[in-house]
């Protein structure tokens, strides 16, 4: 008889990948399009809130107003908190759920896939209850810009969240943004504009799941991690930015072709396992 003292670590299973897929499908079926500042994003937010709550996470809706190129609009982020101990540091996971304004893009991969993934991660967290880390999940509204990324166009939800977390004084170890990670033809990249040590940890976590799963990107990407970097947090984006019918094409991106048949449970399983592994490594990493 022997016992091994081991902190519970986070696992992400095929059942979790199924939950991620079904949640993404519900968002797409019921809330397409999801232009920021419309009743449809609020409807999607309500659906995400219900799913996150059902997963056993302490969820809430965070409604705020912001200026856009077409005047003030109302946005809504959804927040979910997994707390293992009030003494522990936080990891912030972010996924936007809105779709590109003025398009007929259903956003199956761009918005819904990682929003479903975050719900499934919430479920995995409450099931496995890792002890050494707290996790704040934020489903952001208004990631997509209306005309061109700028101070009053795009990244509204993440800017609001970054300022709020800074004000709240949460001890944040890392911010990880997830975008377009359900692509059936999966190739995850960590863009160059992110925090170095965190990017390396994501590369290692990806390699532990499948060699080459996450690659170092050479491009700069405008995504929800930017406002967190600007507020001084350590942050990265994890994104699959090759999304089309052939190599070098990106024709499913922001078009009517971004539909559920382009994403897969297998990819969501790989992405979910990679994020779980990254969280386990972040939990072990003492600041
Ligand atoms: Zn997009």
């Amino acid at each position: 008889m022997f016992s091994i003292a081991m902190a519970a670590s986070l696992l992400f299973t095929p059942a979790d990948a199924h939950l991620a897929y079904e949640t993404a499908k519900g968002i797409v079926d019921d809330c397409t399009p999801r232009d920021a500042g419309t009743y449809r994003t609020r409807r999607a937010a309500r659906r995400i809130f219900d799913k996150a709550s059902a997963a056993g996470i302490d969820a809430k809706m965070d409604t705020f107003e912001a200026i856009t190129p077409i005047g003030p609009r109302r946005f809504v982020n959804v927040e979910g908190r997994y707390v293992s101990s009030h003494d522990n540091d936080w990891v912030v996971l972010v996924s936007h759920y809105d779709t590109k304004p003025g398009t007929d893009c259903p956003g199956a991969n761009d918005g819904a896939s990682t929003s479903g993934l975050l719900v499934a991660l919430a479920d995995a967290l409450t099931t496995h209850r890792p002890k050494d880390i707290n996790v704040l999940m934020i489903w952001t509204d208004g990631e997509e810009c209306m005309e061109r990324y700028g101070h009053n166009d795009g990244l509204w939800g993440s800017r609001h969240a970054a300022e709020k977390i800074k004000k709240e004084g949460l001890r944040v170890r890392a911010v990880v943004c997830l975008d377009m990670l359900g692509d059936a033809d999966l190739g995850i990249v960590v863009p160059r504009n992110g925090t170095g040590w965190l990017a390396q940890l994501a590369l290692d976590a990806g390699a532990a799941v499948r060699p080459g799963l996450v690659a170092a990107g050479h491009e700069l990407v405008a995504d929800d991690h930017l406002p967190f970097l600007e507020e001084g947090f350590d942050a990265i984006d994890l994104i699959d930015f090759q999304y089309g019918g052939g190599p070098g094409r990106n024709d499913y991106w922001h078009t009517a072709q971004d539909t559920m048949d382009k994403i897969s449970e297998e990819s969501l399983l790989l992405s979910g396992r990679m994020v779980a592994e990254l969280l386990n490594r972040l939990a072990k990493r003492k600041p």
Side-chain angles (χ1 to χ4, degrees):
M1 174 89 187
F2 63 94
S3 68
I4 303 170
M6 204 169 75
S9 59
L10 185 61
L11 297 173
F12 193 89
T13 67
D16 296 319
H18 185 66
L19 175 61
Y21 186 91
E22 289 300 318
T23 304
K25 185 174 186 311
I27 295 170
V28 168
D29 287 351
D30 199 38
C31 320
T32 295
R34 302 178 294 284
D35 292 18
T38 67
Y39 78 93
R40 284 189 165 276
T41 40
R42 291 192 277 281
R43 184 173 167 139
R46 170 59 64 179
R47 176 175 273 278
I48 290 165
F49 171 84
D50 286 346
K51 289 283 176 188
S53 301
I57 213 84
D58 182 18
K60 67 176 191 186
M61 313 267 269
D62 181 11
T63 303
F64 60 97
E65 207 173 85
I67 304 297
T68 79
I70 54 170
R73 283 290 181 275
R74 196 149 56 96
F75 297 88
V76 55
N77 288 349
V78 183
E79 279 184 23
R81 291 184 188 227
Y82 165 76
V83 183
S84 56
S85 158
H86 288 287
D87 297 329
N88 285 339
D89 284 359
W90 290 81
V91 173
V92 180
L93 298 178
V94 182
S95 163
H96 80 93
Y97 68 87
D98 60 312
T99 50
K100 178 73 179 168
T103 68
D104 51 2
C105 173
N109 190 31
D110 190 2
S113 71
T114 48
S115 294
L117 194 62
L118 270 198
V119 168
L121 282 160
D123 194 73
L125 282 164
T126 57
T127 301
H128 301 287
R129 307 208 66 82
K131 288 189 185 68
D132 296 325
I133 201 81
N134 297 331
V135 181
L136 170 55
M137 283 151 278
I138 308 174
W139 292 263
T140 56
D141 192 358
E143 183 274 327
E144 305 284 5
C145 62
M146 291 179 181
E147 289 160 9
R148 193 193 171 134
Y149 281 113
H151 189 65
N152 289 324
D153 198 1
L155 311 179
W156 287 283
S158 49
R159 194 172 298 117
H160 170 78
E163 287 168 3
K164 188 174 144 184
I165 293 166
K166 178 95 174 206
K167 221 173 273 173
E168 188 183 339
L170 274 192
R171 286 208 321 274
V172 174
R173 197 170 287 183
V175 179
V176 180
C177 294
L178 312 172
D179 204 357
M180 304 177 74
L181 299 185
D183 186 355
D185 179 19
L186 188 64
I188 305 171
V189 158
V190 51
R192 193 154 57 83
N193 52 333
T195 304
W197 70 264
L198 184 54
Q200 187 58 52
L201 207 65
L203 292 170
D204 295 345
V209 173
R210 194 183 76 182
L213 180 61
V214 180
H218 302 293
E219 291 177 25
L220 305 176
V221 172
D223 210 340
D224 273 338
H225 64 310
L226 292 185
F228 289 94
L229 286 171
E230 282 163 17
E231 290 293 340
F233 294 105
D234 289 347
I236 53 168
D237 192 32
L238 292 167
I239 188 166
D240 177 354
F241 205 49
Q242 292 290 322
Y243 188 44
R249 286 163 62 186
N250 220 5
D251 50 322
Y252 300 163
W253 181 59
H254 289 173
T255 70
Q257 296 194 73
D258 184 3
T259 45
M260 285 305 291
D261 57 306
K262 312 297 191 316
I263 78 174
S264 74
E265 274 185 43
E266 290 74 19
S267 293
L268 289 165
L269 179 60
L270 286 168
S271 294
R273 287 177 63 200
M274 179 269 297
V275 177
E277 179 63 25
L278 178 56
L279 281 172
N280 289 331
R281 287 169 188 240
L282 281 165
K284 275 192 220 135
R285 189 191 151 95
K286 297 297 169 206

